[in-house]
Amino acid sequence: MHPVTEFRVVLYKHLIRPLVFRLDAEKAHHLTLGLMGLAVRVPGVFALLCRLWKTPQTAPTTCLGLNFKNGVGVAAGLDKNGAYLRVFEAMGFGFVEVGTVTPRAQAGNPKPRLFRLKASEALLNRMGFNNNGMEALANNLQRYTGSMRIGINMGKNKDTPNEEALNDYLLVFKRLYALGDYFVVNVSSPNTPGLRALQEKEPLSKLLSGLQLANPQRKPLLLKIAPDLSNEQLLDILELAQTCNLAGVVATNTTLSRAHLVEAAEVVEALGAGGISGEPLRARSTEVLEFLHQQSRGTLPLVGVGGISEAHHVREKLQAGAQLVQVYSGLVYQGPTLVRELVKGFS
């Protein structure tokens, strides 16, 4: 590691992170991104941060029929409302998946709902699709003029019955169609009651087919899946990917499993329900990638998510069949210089 880069990593891990980690996890999230969002609006600061954070080398990647300046992206959930795109561009990300966005704004689940499992380098969340709605996201995307690709992760409002879910997804898809480079159907979050039932073959087929009928330009439409699916369910996903002409699959969302956590079971249980992301998810998400890649014989584009915090984790996902990767928890634990490290995994 370059001495300057090493200094920045040490500065984050031993000075900035301990201070930030004194705060509630969700408050820290909004405070840090909010401050950086204000900073990049100051003349000259964006260029300064680009030099401070951005990886000097590029790793151009082509996937989904799109060209990416590099294959490292921000996973959905980190910037639900598209409010911090300039911040992530300064860090050097090749793309950002905004959302999950729903037609109407919603508050999400009661707080506290985001927790750090520091010994495991993991997060537990039960956010519940909190976001400002599709109109607020549209306004933010219309103002963005940078070079990153934009993916839009779509969900349904909590009070929309599953039988009417297609209407919600169509509202979001049509409203934001001109503003996204690709779109992701999220039916795999564990934090909206009943949502994962939409991963079953019949309702999912109806949902995906309905969206493709509203996709005249054939913009890339992907599906984000849970890591907790069985092989039989994954085979159903592959069948639907073919029959519904999906552009790819994002693997994976957070897990309900409590395996591979360092913290004592009673400590985790006391935090309550929610999905786990970060290091404990890494092996399973890679297994799912590998299964999908092998069973599709490499014909289905895959986006790898789960436990990525080092360059060799990127290589692991790529070897398993991913063409792009996304991070969330890794950024929380490793800091803004992470992109510089992860891009090396593509070389």
Side-chain angles (χ1 to χ4, degrees):
M1 185 181 292
H2 191 280
V4 175
T5 302
E6 186 172 5
F7 170 75
R8 292 170 185 154
V9 171
V10 170
L11 179 67
Y12 178 78
K13 287 186 176 181
H14 296 284
L15 179 61
I16 298 173
R17 189 173 74 180
L19 292 173
V20 171
F21 276 22
R22 290 175 180 267
L23 301 173
D24 166 82
E26 187 171 354
K27 288 180 181 177
H29 170 84
H30 291 300
L31 177 64
T32 53
L33 283 176
L35 289 174
M36 287 187 285
L38 290 173
V40 296
R41 297 179 187 178
V42 177
V45 172
F46 176 77
L48 176 64
L49 291 177
C50 284
R51 290 195 295 270
L52 179 67
W53 290 335
K54 200 170 183 179
T55 177
Q57 74 273 28
T58 58
T61 301
T62 300
C63 183
L64 310 175
L66 302 169
N67 296 320
F68 296 79
K69 62 182 181 182
N70 67 62
V72 181
V74 177
L78 200 54
D79 191 2
K80 294 175 183 290
N81 302 305
Y84 307 114
L85 298 176
R86 293 273 285 173
V87 174
F88 293 121
E89 184 171 4
M91 291 182 191
F93 283 101
F95 64 107
V96 172
E97 191 171 303
V98 296
T100 298
V101 60
T102 54
R104 291 172 281 112
Q106 60 181 27
N109 293 323
K111 299 177 182 179
R113 56 194 180 183
L114 179 64
F115 308 90
R116 305 180 193 93
L117 296 167
K118 290 183 279 190
S120 301
E121 291 201 1
L123 298 174
L124 184 154
N125 95 81
R126 51 174 175 271
M127 303 299 286
F129 286 176
N130 59 303
N131 73 104
N132 294 338
M134 62 185 185
E135 292 299 333
L137 177 58
N139 290 335
N140 286 333
L141 293 180
Q142 285 164 349
R143 286 195 293 266
Y144 178 64
T145 57
S147 59
M148 293 185 302
R149 291 291 187 179
I150 303 297
I152 298 177
N153 188 291
M154 307 180 294
K156 75 175 187 69
N157 280 110
K158 184 178 181 179
D159 59 0
T160 300
N162 278 2
E163 309 83 68
E164 300 173 19
L166 175 58
N167 294 333
D168 272 18
Y169 286 92
L170 282 172
L171 283 170
V172 173
F173 193 42
K174 291 177 179 179
R175 176 64 183 92
L176 302 175
Y177 194 76
L179 300 172
D181 293 302
Y182 72 88
F183 291 81
V184 179
V185 176
N186 186 353
V187 291
S188 54
S189 169
N191 302 315
T192 297
L195 183 73
R196 284 191 171 190
L198 291 173
Q199 290 183 120
E200 296 300 324
K201 191 173 182 179
E202 186 176 344
L204 187 55
S205 176
K206 177 184 176 182
L207 178 59
L208 297 175
S209 298
L211 285 167
Q212 289 292 34
L213 288 174
N215 189 9
Q217 298 176 29
R218 284 300 177 196
K219 286 203 171 183
L221 183 67
L222 293 82
L223 176 67
K224 187 166 187 175
I225 62 172
D228 309 313
L229 298 176
S230 66
N231 285 351
E232 183 179 357
Q233 289 172 308
L234 291 174
L235 290 173
D236 285 343
I237 294 293
L238 288 175
E239 182 181 336
L240 288 175
Q242 184 174 19
T243 58
C244 298
N245 295 312
L246 284 184
V249 168
V250 181
T252 63
N253 214 317
T254 57
T255 180
L256 292 173
S257 170
R258 298 302 189 251
H260 310 298
L261 291 172
V262 176
E263 287 80 4
E266 57 268 24
V267 172
V268 180
E269 186 176 344
L271 298 178
I276 299 288
S277 62
E279 174 59 27
L281 176 61
R282 182 162 61 91
R284 176 57 187 162
S285 65
T286 304
E287 284 177 6
V288 172
L289 273 175
E290 191 167 29
F291 182 85
L292 294 173
H293 180 68
Q294 291 177 350
Q295 294 299 316
S296 69
R297 298 182 181 180
T299 60
L300 182 66
L302 301 171
V303 181
V305 198
I308 299 172
S309 61
E310 299 178 23
H312 79 87
H313 297 162
V314 174
R315 296 186 189 101
E316 186 179 78
K317 301 293 188 193
L318 297 179
Q319 289 166 4
Q323 292 175 260
L324 302 170
V325 299
Q326 294 176 334
V327 297
Y328 186 133
S329 303
L331 191 61
V332 172
Y333 283 96
Q334 305 301 324
T337 57
L338 177 63
V339 187
R340 179 186 293 268
E341 168 69 12
L342 297 187
V343 167
K344 297 175 185 175
F346 282 84
S347 58

